[in-house]
Amino acid sequence: MSSASNPTSSGLERDARRMHDDDKPLSPGSVAIGVVIGRTSEFFDFFVYGLGSILVFPKLIFPFASSPVAATLMSFALFPLAFLARPVGSFVFMWIDRNYGRGTKLTVALFLLGGSTASIAFLPGYDTIGYWAVALLALFRLGQGFALGGAWDGLASLLNLSAPPNRRGWYAMIPQLGAPIGFALASVLFGYMVSSLSEADFLAWGWRYPFFVAFAINVVALFARLRIVASKEFGAAMEAQELQARPIFEMLSKHSMDVVLGAFVPLASFAMFHLVTIFPLSWITLFGGQSAAQFLWVQVAGAALGAVGIVLSGFIADRIGRRNELMLGAILIAIFSFSAPFLLDSGGKGQDAYILIGFFILGLTFGQSSGAVSSRFTQYYRYTGAALTSDLAWLFGAGFAPLVALGLASSFGIIFIGGYLISGAICTIAALTLTRALDQQ
């Protein structure tokens, strides 16, 4: 069915652009704010779930497990479902984009994302509905990932299109600031609830509030994004075919190698991502060192250092090149991997050092990970290629990290998380070396 016969938001978007023809051009700063708000909402949803998978779900959904470690592993087994569903969501929502418009796609995706997260707030425990609690949690987690596949808006690409040649690293890091902001917001909410309530009250109702907040944040993010989608600048980029959704299999027929390389280039950063955000909290909750409430505030401080690292990555990339900056970050992660297990297993001060150092290094690498190989895609396929590449990078690099890290560390020793980190660094270094060789041919 052609788009002409379908109800679509494209006409409304064009009308909005005509209404604003006499307005001032949309500044890169306005686009940057919209991008950061959008990314913050996405990361907030995922981090609220991630923190809940440690502090809530093992006791509420998996009380039948043989031990606290087993319950947390079961909780982490549902964690990757969102990353498995995300490429499927990209496939479906790309079709919606082509047939019904970017505004329709974003509205459906963000309401589904916020709705899936907020629905978890109403979830009964295992003691109330038995294994249906597990099934519903899995369903809502799949909904988060499916919706996130549709939340790819192209606004980061629009920001990059306006970047001067000598400032591309700076513009590339701006969307990444959504990660530490989203994590800090989620950690503050959980930290407040954990420290202010008794364990019984927290498990009965306190944990549900952060999941409620997610829906409101997604509504704000939706309006921020739709404002930019309705701008003349976005419309011009669409008409120039720079931000249009293409069929995924058509894109793969032209750029399959670029997708593969793009998925492995940021692997060091993405492998480390959940090893400083989600896994450490599970480790101290299960094996001690300090209370969860104390540690959440340390992680908020770590998120602030991560934001500093992201900003610095923009300066560094503009001076030595993005590829060299990513190579430097992978080397730093490899070095950190040798000390990480000992820091995390050496009590409160060592755990604090693990978080603060780890977040800063993560910021330096994560800041440039999104634009790692997007330049290899032709303009015609860049929007779709970047979306699928991001989906696969998160799946391979981060989706299974908490489950694998806790499984290895609890069964064979904390030293194995160092091996996990260094394997990601090796993959990044190899992929960057290969892309350099291909570019020189």
Side-chain angles (χ1 to χ4, degrees):
M1 185 180 292
S2 67
S3 60
S5 60
N6 288 331
T8 170
S9 66
S10 299
L12 294 175
E13 292 159 22
R14 287 192 294 268
D15 290 343
R17 289 167 197 142
R18 284 196 292 270
M19 290 173 61
H20 294 292
D21 275 345
D22 296 329
D23 289 354
K24 295 180 180 179
L26 192 66
S27 67
S30 297
V31 178
I33 292 172
V35 171
V36 172
I37 291 174
R39 296 297 178 267
T40 297
S41 71
E42 295 169 6
F43 281 109
F44 179 83
D45 284 60
F46 269 59
F47 281 130
V48 163
Y49 181 93
L51 296 177
S53 68
I54 301 163
L55 300 173
V56 181
F57 304 147
K59 297 176 182 177
L60 186 75
I61 309 298
F62 302 99
F64 55 85
S66 59
S67 68
V69 173
T72 305
L73 287 171
M74 289 180 182
S75 180
F76 280 167
L78 300 186
F79 188 84
L81 292 179
F83 298 91
L84 291 167
R86 183 172 171 174
V88 180
S90 289
F91 183 86
V92 173
F93 279 101
M94 288 287 178
W95 179 85
I96 293 174
D97 193 330
R98 293 193 301 274
N99 288 276
Y100 295 95
R102 186 67 47 86
T104 299
K105 169 194 168 181
L106 289 176
T107 301
V108 173
L110 290 181
F111 270 98
L112 179 58
L113 178 60
S116 297
T117 307
S119 295
I120 297 174
F122 299 95
L123 187 66
Y126 175 84
D127 292 340
T128 304
I129 59 173
Y131 288 107
W132 282 108
V134 181
L136 286 173
L137 182 60
L139 177 65
F140 296 143
R141 182 60 172 166
L142 286 168
Q144 280 188 316
F146 184 80
L148 190 60
W152 191 265
D153 49 26
L155 299 186
S157 297
L158 180 64
L159 188 61
N160 287 332
L161 289 172
S162 61
N166 62 339
R167 299 275 288 172
R168 287 174 180 165
W170 175 260
Y171 279 71
M173 70 83 188
I174 293 174
Q176 307 301 81
L177 289 170
I181 296 173
F183 179 73
L185 287 174
S187 297
V188 166
L189 284 173
F190 268 105
Y192 176 77
M193 291 298 175
V194 170
S195 60
S196 302
L197 301 174
S198 66
E199 183 178 8
D201 285 342
F202 174 74
L203 290 176
W205 54 268
W207 70 270
R208 301 178 187 273
Y209 280 91
F211 288 87
F212 284 129
V213 171
F215 191 83
I217 290 178
N218 276 280
V219 171
V220 172
L222 174 62
F223 282 105
R225 290 174 166 187
L226 290 180
R227 174 177 176 269
I228 300 174
V229 168
S231 68
K232 293 180 291 184
E233 290 78 5
F234 194 93
M238 288 288 285
E239 291 171 6
Q241 299 187 341
E242 293 175 325
L243 295 179
Q244 290 191 9
R246 306 297 173 190
I248 285 180
F249 290 111
E250 178 186 329
M251 179 276 297
L252 288 173
S253 70
K254 307 290 185 181
H255 289 286
S256 57
M257 179 58 70
D258 296 321
V259 170
V260 173
L261 288 173
F264 280 91
V265 162
L267 214 62
S269 175
F270 287 3
M272 192 167 180
F273 193 84
H274 286 137
L275 264 67
V276 297
T277 55
I278 302 302
F279 167 73
L281 181 60
S282 71
W283 185 260
I284 70 102
T285 301
L286 292 168
F287 299 101
Q290 57 188 300
S291 69
Q294 290 175 314
F295 196 68
L296 282 167
W297 298 116
V298 174
Q299 290 196 293
V300 172
L305 279 178
V308 172
I310 289 173
V311 172
L312 284 177
S313 78
F315 286 108
I316 296 171
D318 284 335
R319 282 155 179 78
I320 67 174
R322 180 179 296 153
R323 193 174 347 219
N324 290 332
E325 200 274 344
L326 286 168
M327 186 74 77
L328 174 63
I331 293 170
L332 289 175
I333 289 176
I335 294 171
F336 179 71
S337 69
F338 290 101
S339 62
F342 303 102
L343 289 173
L344 195 55
D345 202 33
S346 60
K349 291 184 178 179
Q351 291 164 353
D352 293 352
Y354 173 95
I355 291 298
L356 298 177
I357 297 170
F359 258 107
F360 182 71
I361 295 175
L362 175 64
L364 288 175
T365 58
F366 185 68
Q368 297 300 311
S369 63
S370 66
V373 292
S374 61
S375 61
R376 293 182 59 84
F377 292 100
T378 58
Q379 175 180 297
Y380 188 77
Y381 292 110
R382 187 167 297 169
Y383 173 80
T384 302
L388 184 60
T389 299
S390 179
D391 293 344
L392 296 178
W394 281 108
L395 174 61
F396 296 147
F400 295 89
L403 177 63
V404 173
L406 182 59
L408 289 174
S410 60
S411 299
F412 305 106
I414 191 70
I415 192 72
F416 276 84
I417 70 164
Y420 189 89
L421 284 173
I422 201 167
S423 66
I426 291 171
C427 287
T428 289
I429 291 170
L432 287 170
T433 302
L434 183 56
T435 58
R436 189 189 302 274
L438 291 174
D439 289 343
Q440 290 174 348
Q441 289 180 357

Short mmCIF file of all heavy atoms in Angstrom, two decimals, residues 417-438:
data_model
loop_
_atom_site.label_atom_id
_atom_site.label_comp_id
_atom_site.label_asym_id
_atom_site.label_seq_id
_atom_site.Cartn_x
_atom_site.Cartn_y
_atom_site.Cartn_z
N ILE A 417 35.94 -10.61 35.32
CA ILE A 417 35.39 -9.42 34.68
C ILE A 417 36.48 -8.65 33.95
O ILE A 417 36.22 -7.94 32.97
CB ILE A 417 34.65 -8.51 35.68
CG1 ILE A 417 35.62 -7.84 36.65
CG2 ILE A 417 33.56 -9.25 36.40
CD1 ILE A 417 34.99 -6.66 37.38
N GLY A 418 37.73 -8.80 34.41
CA GLY A 418 38.85 -8.20 33.68
C GLY A 418 39.00 -8.82 32.30
O GLY A 418 39.24 -8.11 31.31
N GLY A 419 38.81 -10.14 32.23
CA GLY A 419 38.87 -10.80 30.94
C GLY A 419 37.76 -10.35 30.01
O GLY A 419 37.97 -10.21 28.80
N TYR A 420 36.57 -10.11 30.57
CA TYR A 420 35.45 -9.64 29.76
C TYR A 420 35.76 -8.27 29.17
O TYR A 420 35.50 -8.01 27.98
CB TYR A 420 34.20 -9.58 30.62
CG TYR A 420 32.93 -9.31 29.86
CD1 TYR A 420 32.17 -10.36 29.33
CD2 TYR A 420 32.48 -8.02 29.65
CE1 TYR A 420 31.01 -10.12 28.62
CE2 TYR A 420 31.31 -7.76 28.94
CZ TYR A 420 30.59 -8.82 28.43
OH TYR A 420 29.44 -8.58 27.71
N LEU A 421 36.31 -7.38 30.00
CA LEU A 421 36.64 -6.04 29.52
C LEU A 421 37.72 -6.05 28.44
O LEU A 421 37.61 -5.37 27.43
CB LEU A 421 37.09 -5.17 30.69
CG LEU A 421 36.01 -4.64 31.62
CD1 LEU A 421 36.63 -3.95 32.83
CD2 LEU A 421 35.10 -3.67 30.88
N ILE A 422 38.76 -6.84 28.68
CA ILE A 422 39.86 -6.83 27.72
C ILE A 422 39.46 -7.46 26.39
O ILE A 422 39.95 -7.08 25.32
CB ILE A 422 41.12 -7.51 28.31
CG1 ILE A 422 42.37 -7.02 27.54
CG2 ILE A 422 41.03 -9.03 28.27
CD1 ILE A 422 43.66 -7.39 28.23
N SER A 423 38.50 -8.41 26.43
CA SER A 423 38.02 -8.99 25.17
C SER A 423 37.31 -7.94 24.33
O SER A 423 37.45 -7.90 23.10
CB SER A 423 37.09 -10.18 25.45
OG SER A 423 35.90 -9.75 26.09
N GLY A 424 36.53 -7.05 24.99
CA GLY A 424 35.89 -5.97 24.26
C GLY A 424 36.89 -5.00 23.69
O GLY A 424 36.74 -4.52 22.56
N ALA A 425 37.95 -4.71 24.45
CA ALA A 425 38.99 -3.80 23.96
C ALA A 425 39.69 -4.38 22.74
O ALA A 425 39.98 -3.67 21.77
CB ALA A 425 40.00 -3.53 25.07
N ILE A 426 39.96 -5.68 22.77
CA ILE A 426 40.62 -6.33 21.63
C ILE A 426 39.73 -6.25 20.39
O ILE A 426 40.21 -5.98 19.27
CB ILE A 426 40.95 -7.80 21.98
CG1 ILE A 426 42.06 -7.83 23.04
CG2 ILE A 426 41.37 -8.57 20.73
CD1 ILE A 426 42.31 -9.22 23.61
N CYS A 427 38.42 -6.48 20.55
CA CYS A 427 37.50 -6.40 19.41
C CYS A 427 37.49 -5.00 18.81
O CYS A 427 37.49 -4.84 17.58
CB CYS A 427 36.09 -6.80 19.85
SG CYS A 427 35.86 -8.55 20.16
N THR A 428 37.48 -3.98 19.66
CA THR A 428 37.48 -2.60 19.17
C THR A 428 38.77 -2.29 18.41
O THR A 428 38.74 -1.71 17.31
CB THR A 428 37.31 -1.61 20.33
OG1 THR A 428 35.97 -1.71 20.81
CG2 THR A 428 37.58 -0.18 19.89
N ILE A 429 39.90 -2.66 18.97
CA ILE A 429 41.18 -2.39 18.32
C ILE A 429 41.26 -3.11 16.98
O ILE A 429 41.70 -2.53 15.97
CB ILE A 429 42.35 -2.82 19.24
CG1 ILE A 429 42.41 -1.89 20.47
CG2 ILE A 429 43.68 -2.79 18.50
CD1 ILE A 429 43.35 -2.36 21.56
N ALA A 430 40.80 -4.36 16.92
CA ALA A 430 40.82 -5.11 15.67
C ALA A 430 39.90 -4.48 14.63
O ALA A 430 40.28 -4.36 13.45
CB ALA A 430 40.41 -6.56 15.93
N ALA A 431 38.69 -4.06 15.05
CA ALA A 431 37.75 -3.46 14.10
C ALA A 431 38.26 -2.12 13.58
O ALA A 431 38.12 -1.81 12.39
CB ALA A 431 36.38 -3.29 14.77
N LEU A 432 38.85 -1.32 14.47
CA LEU A 432 39.41 -0.03 14.03
C LEU A 432 40.56 -0.24 13.06
O LEU A 432 40.71 0.50 12.07
CB LEU A 432 39.87 0.77 15.25
CG LEU A 432 38.79 1.38 16.12
CD1 LEU A 432 39.37 1.93 17.41
CD2 LEU A 432 38.03 2.48 15.38
N THR A 433 41.40 -1.23 13.33
CA THR A 433 42.52 -1.52 12.43
C THR A 433 42.01 -1.96 11.07
O THR A 433 42.54 -1.55 10.02
CB THR A 433 43.40 -2.62 13.05
OG1 THR A 433 43.87 -2.20 14.33
CG2 THR A 433 44.59 -2.92 12.15
N LEU A 434 40.94 -2.78 11.06
CA LEU A 434 40.39 -3.25 9.79
C LEU A 434 39.75 -2.12 9.01
O LEU A 434 39.92 -2.03 7.78
CB LEU A 434 39.37 -4.37 10.06
CG LEU A 434 38.75 -5.02 8.83
CD1 LEU A 434 39.83 -5.58 7.89
CD2 LEU A 434 37.78 -6.12 9.24
N THR A 435 39.02 -1.24 9.69
CA THR A 435 38.41 -0.13 8.97
C THR A 435 39.46 0.81 8.39
O THR A 435 39.30 1.33 7.29
CB THR A 435 37.48 0.69 9.90
OG1 THR A 435 38.22 1.18 11.03
CG2 THR A 435 36.32 -0.14 10.38
N ARG A 436 40.56 0.98 9.11
CA ARG A 436 41.65 1.81 8.58
C ARG A 436 42.23 1.18 7.31
O ARG A 436 42.49 1.86 6.31
CB ARG A 436 42.75 2.00 9.62
CG ARG A 436 43.82 3.01 9.22
CD ARG A 436 44.99 2.99 10.21
NE ARG A 436 44.55 3.25 11.57
CZ ARG A 436 44.41 4.46 12.07
NH1 ARG A 436 44.66 5.53 11.32
NH2 ARG A 436 44.04 4.63 13.33
N ALA A 437 42.42 -0.15 7.36
CA ALA A 437 42.97 -0.85 6.20
C ALA A 437 42.04 -0.76 5.01
O ALA A 437 42.46 -0.55 3.87
CB ALA A 437 43.24 -2.30 6.56
N LEU A 438 40.71 -0.89 5.26
CA LEU A 438 39.74 -0.80 4.16
C LEU A 438 39.68 0.59 3.58
O LEU A 438 39.54 0.78 2.37
CB LEU A 438 38.36 -1.23 4.66
CG LEU A 438 38.19 -2.71 5.01
CD1 LEU A 438 36.81 -2.96 5.62
CD2 LEU A 438 38.37 -3.58 3.77
#
